[in-house]
Amino acid sequence: MKRSPLLLLLLALVLFSCSDDEKRQAEIARDLKKQEAVFKTVSQAWNFNTGPVNETSSTLFKSWNEWRVLMNEMAQKPKSTIGAFRTKAKTMSAKAGELTNTVPGQFNRPEIKSRVSVLQTKINALNLYINLGDIPDQKVVALIGDINTEIRALQSQMGEIVRRSQIPIEEGEADMLRMLDTARAIPNTPAPEAAPKPMTKEDKMRRRAAMMDLIKK
């Protein structure tokens, strides 16, 4: 039985198309499996320690609105898809950026601002990595741990500032500090020379006698 070349060509195209479909289906299945694995890894690691660690941070949670908003945002864990984690990371990054110019006056110091800056950098990095097409899940996990470390460090440092401010001044220390301040305030200028005393009649006679003795010599 003879087969026309056209029929053979159509058969080859069908077979080739089926082979491509199988490859595409296999690739889709692999991608889905990888995405599921990434989602599981990220979901298990996505736990932020946002609770206050001392009395100071507990007070700040009530009075520092931007800090409270960020902590509440981080405490709400996404559940549905990796896209939900991406959206959450973007929101966290935006909220973290609002901390810089809102640090309460007592803590508006270079060391606290440095801590805030490091925390912002870590959150921004998390946002960057989780929004990549191919998510490096292990880097995401590591960053979550780093962010928790920075949150604790920032709260602890603020607590230390409050603790030091509450240490009572020992007896006599306040007087000593005032004396030091007074001493610093006194200008360091030489004392004026005393005015010469006027010569008495006896001084003049002794001076004249001394001059006569010099002339005789």
Side-chain angles (χ1 to χ4, degrees):
M1 181 179 179
K2 292 183 179 181
R3 296 181 180 176
S4 66
L6 181 59
L7 182 60
L8 292 174
L9 179 59
L10 289 173
L11 182 60
L13 289 173
V14 170
L15 293 174
F16 184 75
S17 178
C18 290
S19 177
D20 281 351
D21 286 342
E22 289 176 358
K23 289 180 180 179
R24 282 195 294 270
Q25 291 297 330
E27 289 175 358
I28 291 172
R30 283 195 300 269
D31 288 343
L32 288 174
K33 187 174 181 180
K34 184 177 181 179
Q35 290 177 15
E36 289 175 0
V38 169
F39 175 81
K40 184 178 180 180
T41 300
V42 172
S43 182
Q44 289 177 344
W46 196 279
N47 293 292
F48 295 102
N49 300 325
T50 57
V53 300
N54 51 38
E55 185 176 350
T56 299
S57 54
S58 180
T59 302
L60 278 174
F61 194 83
K62 299 175 183 177
S63 60
W64 189 5
N65 181 64
E66 289 75 14
W67 177 260
R68 182 175 66 255
V69 169
L70 176 61
M71 293 299 103
N72 286 337
E73 194 68 47
M74 296 173 72
Q76 298 170 8
K77 180 178 178 178
K79 297 179 180 180
S80 55
T81 63
I82 199 66
F85 284 100
R86 286 171 168 162
T87 301
K88 175 63 69 174
K90 288 180 180 179
T91 303
M92 286 167 46
S93 181
K95 297 301 180 184
E98 297 175 2
L99 296 180
T100 304
N101 298 321
T102 61
V103 178
Q106 183 181 8
F107 306 105
N108 193 11
R109 305 182 179 192
E111 61 270 29
I112 295 298
K113 286 189 172 182
S114 177
R115 288 283 187 189
V116 170
S117 178
V118 172
L119 177 60
Q120 290 171 333
T121 300
K122 298 291 184 181
I123 293 176
N124 289 339
L126 175 65
N127 179 40
L128 172 65
Y129 283 131
I130 203 167
N131 278 284
L132 292 175
D134 189 8
I135 299 174
D137 54 349
Q138 294 307 314
K139 288 186 177 180
V140 169
V141 171
L143 278 169
I144 291 172
D146 291 345
I147 291 170
N148 280 329
T149 298
E150 294 303 326
I151 290 174
R152 288 192 299 270
L154 178 58
Q155 293 184 84
S156 297
Q157 192 162 11
M158 288 180 169
E160 181 65 14
I161 289 174
V162 172
R163 187 189 69 80
R164 290 181 180 179
S165 69
Q166 294 174 344
I167 297 176
I169 298 177
E170 295 182 3
E171 184 177 355
E173 186 176 351
D175 293 336
M176 185 179 296
L177 291 173
R178 282 195 293 270
M179 289 173 63
L180 288 172
D181 289 340
T182 303
R184 294 190 189 101
I186 296 174
N188 189 17
T189 56
E193 295 183 359
K197 295 181 179 180
M199 293 181 67
T200 63
K201 185 176 181 181
E202 293 179 354
D203 291 334
K204 292 178 180 179
M205 292 178 64
R206 282 195 293 269
R207 184 175 181 181
R208 189 179 299 114
M211 291 178 67
M212 293 297 295
D213 290 339
L214 289 173
I215 293 171
K216 291 178 180 179
K217 293 179 180 179

